[in-house]
Amino acid sequence: MVRLLLIYLLHFLKCGIIKKGENIFTERPLVSAQFLWNTLYKYKACEYCLRALETAEQNARRLSGNPGLSLPHPELCKVRPELHQACPQCQVMYCCSECRQAAAEKYHRVLCLGPTEDNPDHPINKLKDAWRSIHYPPETSSIMLMAKMVAAVKQAKDKAHWQKLFSHFCSRTANEEEEIAHKLLGEQFKGQLALLHSLFTSALFDEHLSRWFVPEGFRSLFALVGTNGQGIGTSSLSQWVHACDALELPVQQREQLDSFIDQLYKDIDKETGDFLNCEGSGLFILQSTCNHSCIPNAEASFPDNNFLLHLSALCDISPGEEICISYLDCCQRDRSRHSRHKILRENYLFSCSCPKCVSQMEEQDVTSEEEEEAEAEGETEGDEMEDEMTDV
């Protein structure tokens, strides 16, 4: 699979510059899973491809707390409820028959709980409940991503092939794996790793994968998803808004539509806050081979409202130039070099040497918070600058 990335890049090198905005590649994950708290909070997504199942209007009504809300241009919503299908055994929902069939063939026969779907004593439900009690929102991973890895190997005719696919993701030393696992759980819950291991084994043990069920192997699974898991966000409302933005309308109608959307987002922010999307994570082999830069030249997005990852160029990329993404969000990238390195060391166990970091090597080794606190103290001592201070 790493060879596939090289083939993609060689193709672009032959063609010359990759232009800003150009799609470099599109990839589907080996496995993906919706976050468990996200599901519990009634964010409805296809169990297989994570496509949002609510129409844009249903989504807007729930998020804004306004059950009578009507969206203009409802024809722009691409959700098709008439195509949705449930697993006939456990009633888990899919966006279409193709996704239901794909899930059944890939992993769902192992994970399907049938009529015990709502039984809290089922081993898989116990595992889910333990994860939720340990890993509060905002979520960064899911125990079900690991469960689907196991289920995919269990159902595969060629088990060695699937194990080899998962082996493409970067491996870590035992100490690094333990550090990542504890970071993923949070300091106060790191002692719960043994509980999760016990429940995971009870729910999913398989002799072909015995190495994943010993404590060291289970910890390595944690490190794998913690290091390589790519966040996925889907939203029928966001897709509808983008479609509205693309409409060619008379000036007055455009102003009215923009005003409506602005007010809608204000209402949503007041009712729901920042959690707007169906959220989960997936394991993407090609995307995982991209290195980090604090000034990335590419970024991943999910414009199809499902798990298909599109890697697009943020600027022109010249032949021979490495394609890099950022493991940090926009706000984190704006922080000091020391702060960025602290985040990367804690979460990914490396120090960045991208051009931005190299150019800032002479900066003082203090975090952005310390810088801001020092600035705030200086402004307080200098009195009249108080009104210009901002919170950390």
Side-chain angles (χ1 to χ4, degrees), residues 7 13 28 85 122 137 143 145 225 256 386:
I7 291 172
L13 292 181
R28 67 172 53 210
Q85 289 198 4
H122 190 285
I143 196 73
L145 200 59
V225 300
Q256 289 174 343
E386 260 183 41

Side-chain angles (χ1 to χ4, degrees), residues 180-196:
I180 292 170
H182 290 168
K183 180 67 180 178
L184 194 60
L185 289 178
E187 189 65 29
Q188 68 272 40
F189 292 117
K190 66 181 184 181
Q192 300 298 310
L193 191 62
L195 170 64
L196 287 173

Side-chain angles (χ1 to χ4, degrees), residues 236-298:
S236 53
L237 177 59
S238 176
Q239 196 175 42
W240 173 83
V241 170
H242 286 307
C244 286
D245 289 342
L247 288 176
E248 294 185 6
L249 298 171
V251 173
Q252 186 176 4
Q253 290 184 33
R254 167 53 61 191
E255 290 176 350
Q256 289 174 343
L257 181 57
D258 289 347
S259 177
F260 175 88
I261 293 172
D262 288 344
Q263 184 59 50
L264 174 59
Y265 274 116
K266 289 177 183 176
D267 294 341
I268 289 173
D269 183 62
K270 184 177 180 181
E271 177 72 18
T272 306
D274 295 332
F275 297 100
L276 305 182
N277 300 338
C278 297
E279 295 181 346
S281 61
L283 295 175
F284 298 83
I285 290 185
L286 292 179
Q287 176 269 346
S288 73
T289 64
C290 295
N291 284 325
H292 163 82
S293 172
C294 296
I295 43 172
N297 56 17

Side-chain angles (χ1 to χ4, degrees), residues 31-35 50 140-142 145 229-232 279-283:
V31 288
S32 61
Q34 187 179 4
F35 292 146
L50 270 64
T140 55
S141 187
S142 174
L145 200 59
Q230 165 67 47
I232 300 171
E279 295 181 346
S281 61
L283 295 175

Side-chain angles (χ1 to χ4, degrees), residues 81 83-87 91-98 100:
L83 299 179
H84 296 175
Q85 289 198 4
C87 167
Q91 303 306 308
V92 164
M93 291 300 298
Y94 297 92
C95 66
C96 59
S97 60
E98 290 79 9
R100 182 176 67 81

Side-chain angles (χ1 to χ4, degrees), residues 50-70:
L50 270 64
R51 184 183 298 277
L53 297 180
E54 291 177 304
T55 64
E57 189 166 87
Q58 289 170 334
N59 193 209
R61 287 175 175 178
R62 180 172 61 81
L63 294 176
S64 67
N66 181 0
L69 179 69
S70 295

